Every structure is written in C-alpha cells, then in structure tokens.
Amino acid sequence: MSVSCPLQEQSDDSSEEEAAGDTEMDFLRNLFSSTLGLGSADKVLDELTLEGVARYIQSGKCKNIICMVGAGISTSAGIPDFRSPGTGLYANLQKYNLPYPEAIFQIDYFKKHPEPFFALAKELYPGQFKPTVCHYFMKLLKDKGLLRRCYSQNIDTLERVAGLEGDDLIEAHGTFYTSHCVSFCCRKEYNLDWMKVKIFSDDIPRCDKCSSLVKPDIVFFGENLPVRFFTSMKMDFPRCDLLIVMGTSLQVQPFAGLVSRYCRSSFIFLKCTADPLFGLMGFGGGMDFDSDKAYRDVAHISTCDDGCLALADLLGWKVKLSHMIMRINSLVQ
C-alpha cells in the first residue's frame, strides 16, 4: 500500500506519553530560544542552499544523516497519498460505502467490517510498485555509510524493496511486511506472501490457529505506534548531523514532533516539495527558511525525486544512483 498511514495520536503506553511530553517541551524550548535569539546558533553551512548541503556532506563532518519520509516519496511510483484533493485515497473511497473515509483504517470498524480494507489492500498491495528515486537515494546514503536511520510514515515497504533493511528503518506507522492475528490471546505472526495469497484470492484472512482476523502490522486509528519508534528516536536524534525531510507535511503526531524532539544547531532541514508555501512556512515545529535569523534550514522546492537527483548530482553520485536504480529495478518483479 502507500504512504502516510493514519495513526493513533493518543496512547496509554507510558513511554509514548513521556515521549510526547518531552517532544512538546523541546518544541517550546526551541521556539522561545529561536524567537528571542537565545542560545548559540552554530552555523555549519556556508550557504543555505542545496549546494551548501552538498558541501557539508562532502566535508566529512556529516556522518549521521536521518531521513524523515512520507506519502510524497511514493506518489511517483503510482501510489496515491491520503489527502490530496481529488486524487488522494480519502477522496476516492465512495465505492466502499464507508460511514466516513477514515473508517477504513479504524481498528474497531475493521474488526466488524474488514471487507473494505482488504478490497483496498488488493488495489494497492506491496509488490505491484517499484521504488522511486527517493528510495534509492536513501539506499545510496546507506552504502556510503552516512544513513543513521530512515523514519518512515509509509506502509508500502518500498524502502525495503530498494535495499534498506530492518535496522535501517523505523516504520513509524507500521508495515505490510508482517501480519498478526488480532486476538490478544493468540497473536500468531504471518508473512507477506501468506497475506498476499489471502488478499488476492478474495479471502478475508483468518488465523490458522484460532480463526480470528489477521491484520497487516500497519497502525490503525485506535492502536499504539511501535515501541521501537519511541526508543530509537532517543538514541538517533541527539547524534543527527543532517535531517532530510521528504514527502511529508509533518502534520500528524507524534511523527511530526521528531523535528523538535532533539533540535540542535547542527540540524539542517531539506524539504523537497512542489508546493512553495509548504516549503517556506516550515510546518512541523520551528523551521526557519527565510527570516533574518535563518542559519540552518534549507528548503528545496521541487518534487522529491528531482530534489534527490539534484543533490546526487552535486555530490557526484548521479551515475551511481542511476546504475543502482536500473540494477535493482531489474530484479523487482
């Protein structure tokens, strides 16, 4: 499937509540600091442009890059995002006779009426689409030893298809890669191939052990995010030298709060988007692209694929990226 999957914004898990509280405090602290001009602002770029970012990466000082990605990096693969007017997933769900569009990802509704979700899953199932330039660019960052982690809102598994592995990824909103029985007493695990057979034979997947529904491990409304999301961010973001944000409007919490979670003066934000307002307004917490005090954040206004190609070209990686795309795409069935 695709992109930015709906998630539960509130959680009963204590670690999630603690992380959410810390995120809010970090954001407020950084907002006051930047607004009042408090604290040190170490400028690591010689200019706030894509060229400046490329020179910083080439300097050898940038060793831990984190990518935050969402729906926008998969749209060029043919997977719709959720909210685009007219073309987004939510705008085209009338045929499923839902009480409201988001119900298709509501856990309580799913348990009573699983048919709409599995019909949609058949249309957008992983394996029918190939990774985009963005996915391969992140794989290239990994090959160069620069990628600390990719934090993804997407559930389409295209990061894995491009060559990122489990330790490289935080699939914040879950994934189709595995599935589990929904029964709390069972929770038997099933793999991607098992689920695919069920979906494409138009069978509602049920557990071989207890006959309960089996659901892909994507995060529905009413479910908690993976624990690994909360534990990893505490380790990763204090070490981050460069944060690349692509294909997400950073409006869904708690994913959006990662930007301000550990906001340090060495962060640079690269936003690849075709919407100039999105790039300049700085959604997601304290980004500053064009004020007199701007010293860190970079907005690159383009499609995500074009932004990655432009940065790869500046880094001298464009040929290698092209070869990688051709090689892996030839293996993707």
Side-chain angles (χ1 to χ4, degrees):
M1 247 181 84
S2 149
V3 274
S4 162
C5 175
L7 74 162
Q8 173 70 3
E9 296 188 18
Q10 296 180 349
S11 169
D12 295 329
D13 187 273
S14 59
S15 65
E16 295 183 36
E17 291 178 352
E18 177 189 354
D22 289 348
T23 298
E24 183 177 352
M25 289 305 298
D26 286 336
F27 169 70
L28 291 173
R29 189 177 299 113
N30 288 305
L31 179 62
F32 284 126
S33 179
S34 60
T35 302
L36 300 175
L38 303 176
S40 60
D42 299 329
K43 187 174 182 179
V44 298
L45 296 184
D46 54 23
E47 63 178 1
L48 299 180
T49 63
L50 202 62
E51 289 79 6
V53 173
R55 286 191 289 271
Y56 175 51
I57 294 174
Q58 292 173 321
S59 71
K61 298 177 182 178
C62 181
K63 300 177 180 179
N64 291 285
I65 296 176
I66 293 177
C67 294
M68 286 177 63
V69 299
I73 74 165
S74 293
T75 52
S76 64
I79 304 175
D81 65 13
F82 276 75
R83 295 176 176 84
S84 290
T87 60
L89 217 51
Y90 284 154
N92 293 279
L93 294 178
Q94 297 91 342
K95 58 186 173 183
Y96 299 120
N97 297 315
L98 299 166
Y100 50 92
E102 291 84 357
I104 203 165
F105 294 110
Q106 184 74 253
I107 188 62
D108 291 337
Y109 185 86
F110 168 81
K111 289 179 178 179
K112 295 176 182 177
H113 307 284
E115 297 84 4
F117 170 78
F118 286 114
L120 177 65
K122 185 176 181 180
E123 288 186 44
L124 301 173
Y125 202 74
Q128 303 181 80
F129 304 94
K130 293 184 179 181
T132 68
V133 172
C134 290
H135 295 98
Y136 289 118
F137 181 77
M138 292 189 292
K139 174 59 164 63
L140 190 53
L141 288 175
K142 175 188 174 179
D143 291 349
K144 297 286 185 180
L146 297 173
L147 181 69
R148 180 167 186 87
R149 209 89 66 191
C150 169
Y151 283 73
S152 178
Q153 291 176 288
N154 299 341
I155 57 175
D156 52 34
T157 75
L158 289 181
E159 295 92 354
R160 292 177 182 266
V161 176
L164 298 187
E165 298 174 311
D167 192 52
D168 306 317
L169 281 168
I170 303 295
E171 291 160 317
H173 296 177
T175 178
F176 262 97
Y177 195 68
T178 55
S179 300
H180 281 84
C181 172
V182 300
S183 171
F184 180 76
C185 298
C186 179
R187 299 297 295 162
K188 182 176 179 181
E189 182 174 315
Y190 295 87
N191 62 28
L192 185 67
D193 291 334
W194 182 92
M195 179 59 72
K196 183 176 182 179
V197 169
K198 295 292 184 180
I199 288 177
F200 280 87
S201 61
D202 293 323
D203 289 338
I204 298 300
R206 294 195 174 273
C207 181
D208 299 334
K209 183 178 178 181
C210 73
S211 298
S212 296
L213 284 170
V214 177
K215 183 184 77 68
D217 291 340
I218 63 176
V219 179
F220 277 25
F221 287 111
E223 295 186 303
N224 296 330
L225 269 66
V227 173
R228 188 164 169 260
F229 170 83
F230 297 98
T231 56
S232 296
M233 71 181 186
K234 295 180 180 180
M235 296 185 296
D236 290 341
F237 279 78
R239 298 171 174 84
C240 180
D241 299 314
L242 174 67
L243 179 61
I244 300 179
V245 181
M246 298 183 289
T248 172
S249 59
L250 294 177
Q251 296 184 60
V252 178
Q253 295 292 351
F255 188 87
L258 292 176
V259 169
S260 57
R261 171 69 182 169
Y262 289 106
C263 196
R264 297 291 185 265
S265 58
S266 59
F267 277 24
I268 299 106
F269 299 92
L270 170 64
K271 282 199 164 189
C272 297
T273 171
D275 182 350
L277 289 178
F278 170 76
L280 295 174
M281 290 176 67
F283 289 114
M287 284 179 276
D288 181 4
F289 297 114
D290 57 357
S291 81
D292 293 338
K293 297 179 181 178
Y295 70 95
R296 179 196 64 182
D297 305 337
V298 175
H300 184 74
I301 310 303
S302 73
T303 66
C304 295
D305 284 348
D306 287 347
C308 287
L309 283 171
L311 184 54
D313 193 23
L314 290 168
L315 291 165
W317 300 352
K318 194 170 183 178
V319 172
K320 187 166 186 176
L321 179 61
S322 298
H323 288 166
M324 176 186 291
I325 293 171
M326 289 188 290
R327 177 173 57 82
I328 300 181
N329 274 354
S330 68
L331 300 175
V332 177
Q333 300 299 321

